[in-house]
Each structure stands twice: as C-alpha cells, then as structure tokens.
Amino acid sequence: MSHLLVLVFLFISTLSLAQPNPETGRWPSAKANAWYTKEPFLVGANYAPANAINELEMFQAETFDAATIDKELGMAEQIGMNTMRVFLHDLLWEDPAGFTKRLDQFLSICAKHKIRPMLVLFDSCWDPYPKLGKQHEPTPGIHNSGWVQSPGADALSDVSQYPRLEAYVKGVVSAFKKDKRILAWDVWNEPDNTNDNSYGQNHTIKTELSKPRKIAIVTKLLPHVFQWARAAGATQPLTSGVWVFRTPEEWQNTAKWTPMEKVQLENSDIITFHQYLSPETLDETIKAMLTFGRPVICTEYMARGVNSKFQSHLPIARRAKVGMINWGFVAGKTQTFLPWDSWQKPYVNGREPSIWFHEVFKQDGAPYDPTEVTAIKQATGK
C-alpha cells in the first residue's frame, strides 16, 4: 500500500469519527418552504457560453467573454427563463480577486436579464485531470469532450490539498453569502458519478481513485462541503442533487438509499434531482420527491433522444411548482447537442445524429425547434 493511500485511509477514518450533524445549520423545512413560496416557477438551463468548452474556459481571465454571456442570457430572458445552473471550479480560486471580480460581473449580467443562477461548487463528471490555462479544442464528434471534474483526481487523492478546497468553498461562498442575485448553491454535482461510459475508458484511473475509493472519499467529504458553505454564512439554500433513477417506493424506503444519497438528502435545504426519462416517470419522481416536505427542483433534464422534452415535462412540473433546469442552451464547444453514445462511437466521417440531444438554440440564435420555445414561453408565462 502506497504512502499516499495510507494518508487517504487515515483521512477517511478521521472524517468518520467527526461527521457533521446534517441537522446542524440545515434549514428547517418550514424555512425552506417559506423561501420557495416567494419564487416564481423556476425555468432555466445548465449554462456555459457557446465559446467555452468547460467551466475553466468560461471564467478564466483570458477567455471570460461578457459580451457573449450578455447576448445569450438576453436570449434566455426573451423566452422567459429566470434561472441558470452554472458550474464553478476550485482551480479558479488560485486567483481569488480575479475570479471573484469575474463572477460578480457574471451575476450583474444575470441580474440585467432577470436571471438568478444556481452556482455549482464541485462536480464529479468528465475529465479527472483539470488544468488551468488554455483548454484543448473540442474532440470532433464527442459529447462534452472538454468538461473537467472539480476537484480532480489528484486533489481528491491528496489530503494536503483539502485545506485548499475548504478555502475555495468558504472563500467564494463568503464573498457572495448575502447576494440576492444568487438563487442557491449546488455544492456537488453527481458526486458518485464514476464516468463509466465516458472518461473512465479514456484515462488511466489511479489506484487511489478506483471507483469504490472515489465514492468512499467523496461520501465522507460531502458533509464537510455542506458544513464549509454554511460556516461561510450562506444565506441562500444549499443542495446536492440525486441523479440515479429509483422507483417511488425506493425513494420512500431509506434502506434502499446509497450512503451518498443519504448524505445528499439529509444535508440539502432544498431537494434537487436529475431526470432524463419519460414524462410518466417524471410525474412519479416528482410525487416521490415532494413527500420529503421541501422545495423540489429538477436540475437536469431534456434529452430528446430518450423522450425527455420541454413540451411534455414542463407542464407536469408547472402543476407541481417543481423548477426545471434543462441541460444546454446554445450549441457550441461543449457539443452536448450530440448524444451520449458519441463516447463510444463519435459522430464523425458523415455520421450525424438524427436529432439533437440537448441545447435550445443554434449558433446563429435560431431555435433548434420553434415549438420548444413556444412551450417554454407558455410554461413561464412569457
């Protein structure tokens, strides 16, 4: 066993002896519901500008593009969207003043367009080896070919970097802890996603971060991330969304939950979930989520190829006042208009998707499907 792996085991053991109480600082359900009654029907997208391949390119000084963001969020305002889910990254905190300034500028653009974003602090999906600086160009034919995890594999397996992660969370949350331009903080996206169908097959995963080890580390770390954000004084609600499909009966039986799901649901002020399935399944999932007695927002949906669509899903959610945030907005460098199967078989050499998977608008600003824009406007009262 390597010295580094021993350190990781020791760190996990320490955490297990001193896990934060999920009820300490967690909003009472009455407070969460009172907060939500003041919110409109929340509709938006997981957003990165079309000219950013990932969250680093979106926010680094050399590539932060306020003009493009302003133009695209103006398009969102025109169809009635009032929120966006936006990913941050721990490496951006190497320049705290610069990153804070650019994030403040981004929030001002959002406010101009009457959009209050949900900000994501960490993300377990995609490339586990993020690096600052110039990001690579999109890999032809591959869905989300340049997105990067936060924290990366090196940081997760190196306990000496955990104070840096804590400083990032406390720093960015503290800087905006009372900022009414922010809807909520999503502290960790899909924390137990091991990327089995995407980057897991393209990178050599270090022994310290085999799939079970990664999940074990993040399961122990996630309650502390909630605690760090609360210690920083966040006045906005905190959440981490469950994302693996379960039946309503399984959601009602806590014995069926994974340890990660238990951490997520017991620490979140508001309940969030992902759903890329049929309208009938969405309806059942919403009913199950509402039994937890807290506000509910779907933070990922809309994949045309698997029958998850604006026209079918928004009316169901509106009736229940469950917020809906689809994946993708303007087609661009993320290439998430390409289906998930592009990871195994890239869309190159004349291979084209029969329909776009995600995104609302084309590069020229035209909607991919005008009837979808009509459905969004109807749902938002625009």
Side-chain angles (χ1 to χ4, degrees):
M1 183 180 295
S2 71
H3 178 65
L4 180 56
L5 189 53
V6 170
L7 288 175
V8 172
F9 273 124
L10 288 174
F11 180 80
I12 291 172
S13 300
T14 301
L15 289 183
S16 67
L17 295 175
Q19 285 291 287
N21 182 343
E23 294 300 329
T24 302
R26 187 193 191 199
W27 285 13
S29 58
K31 179 179 179 179
N33 289 319
W35 168 84
Y36 198 55
T37 59
K38 299 175 184 178
E39 298 298 328
F41 175 46
L42 295 166
V43 177
N46 283 266
Y47 175 72
N51 58 0
I53 196 170
N54 59 30
E55 59 272 56
L56 293 176
E57 192 162 51
M58 178 176 179
F59 280 110
Q60 287 186 121
E62 297 78 11
T63 47
F64 180 73
D65 187 347
T68 294
I69 293 168
D70 185 34
K71 178 186 72 174
E72 293 178 353
L73 294 188
M75 294 160 59
E77 180 185 14
Q78 289 173 4
I79 63 174
M81 287 185 169
N82 50 30
T83 189
M84 290 282 165
R85 185 166 175 253
V86 177
F87 289 71
L88 311 181
H89 200 287
D90 62 279
L91 293 181
L92 294 164
W93 200 247
E94 290 196 11
D95 175 22
F99 176 47
T100 300
K101 179 181 178 180
R102 291 186 292 279
L103 183 52
D104 179 71
Q105 188 176 357
F106 171 74
L107 291 171
S108 293
I109 298 169
C110 287
K112 172 184 174 182
H113 296 293
K114 304 178 180 62
I115 289 169
R116 295 171 62 230
M118 176 183 291
L119 301 180
V120 184
L121 295 172
F122 290 129
D123 181 9
S124 284
C125 297
W126 311 104
D127 189 340
Y129 301 106
K131 292 182 176 61
L132 291 171
K134 181 175 173 55
Q135 303 299 295
H136 69 75
E137 292 302 307
T139 304
I142 300 289
H143 175 110
N144 225 0
S145 65
W147 205 261
V148 289
Q149 294 184 32
S150 172
D154 293 337
L156 277 180
S157 59
D158 180 1
V159 294
S160 71
Q161 293 199 44
Y162 290 178
R164 178 183 67 79
L165 301 179
E166 180 178 359
Y168 154 66
V169 171
K170 288 184 174 179
V172 72
V173 172
S174 178
F176 299 97
K177 61 186 178 184
K178 296 182 179 179
D179 200 318
K180 297 186 182 302
R181 297 173 297 179
I182 296 172
L183 177 72
W185 300 94
D186 187 337
V187 302
W188 205 310
N189 176 62
E190 299 191 358
D192 48 348
N193 193 328
T194 55
N195 301 280
D196 293 350
N197 293 320
S198 52
Y199 282 97
Q201 66 183 357
N202 297 324
H203 287 273
T204 300
I205 304 300
K206 299 180 180 182
T207 56
E208 292 89 351
L209 275 184
S210 63
K211 291 189 289 186
R213 181 54 48 208
K214 175 183 177 181
I215 292 173
I217 291 173
V218 179
T219 302
K220 296 298 182 182
L221 191 54
L222 182 55
H224 291 264
V225 180
F226 275 102
Q227 185 184 55
W228 296 340
R230 291 194 167 106
T235 59
Q236 308 91 345
L238 309 181
T239 191
S240 176
V242 292
W243 64 283
V244 176
F245 171 73
R246 293 194 176 281
T247 66
E249 293 74 23
E250 288 173 328
W251 283 126
Q252 294 306 301
N253 182 359
T254 57
K256 297 289 186 180
W257 299 356
T258 66
M260 186 73 80
E261 289 167 341
K262 184 176 176 65
V263 170
Q264 291 174 285
L265 292 170
E266 291 184 351
N267 283 275
S268 291
D269 300 320
I270 60 176
I271 303 300
T272 54
F273 70 101
H274 297 173
Q275 205 271 357
Y276 289 109
L277 295 167
S278 69
E280 295 77 17
T281 307
L282 174 68
D283 189 40
E284 293 176 354
T285 303
I286 284 175
K287 290 174 181 176
M289 294 290 117
L290 289 172
T291 64
F292 298 135
R294 292 176 176 270
V296 176
I297 300 172
C298 176
T299 49
E300 287 189 27
Y301 81 106
M302 209 294 287
R304 299 175 184 92
V306 291
N307 201 27
S308 178
K309 301 178 181 179
F310 295 113
Q311 298 95 318
S312 58
H313 285 44
L314 285 174
I316 294 170
R318 183 178 175 86
R319 287 194 293 272
K321 200 191 173 184
V322 167
M324 295 294 284
I325 304 176
N326 72 278
W327 189 275
F329 191 60
V330 178
K333 293 176 76 172
T334 63
Q335 300 181 159
T336 55
F337 60 89
L338 297 171
W340 291 325
D341 69 4
S342 64
W343 303 325
Q344 283 76 39
K345 190 176 180 182
Y347 283 78
V348 294
N349 300 323
R351 183 174 186 242
E352 296 289 341
S354 57
I355 56 173
W356 276 19
F357 210 59
H358 301 310
E359 322 300 2
V360 182
F361 290 100
K362 301 177 183 178
Q363 279 277 346
D364 62 5
Y368 171 73
D369 181 349
T371 63
E372 293 178 341
V373 170
T374 298
I376 295 169
K377 288 182 175 180
Q378 289 175 341
T380 59
K382 194 70 173 181

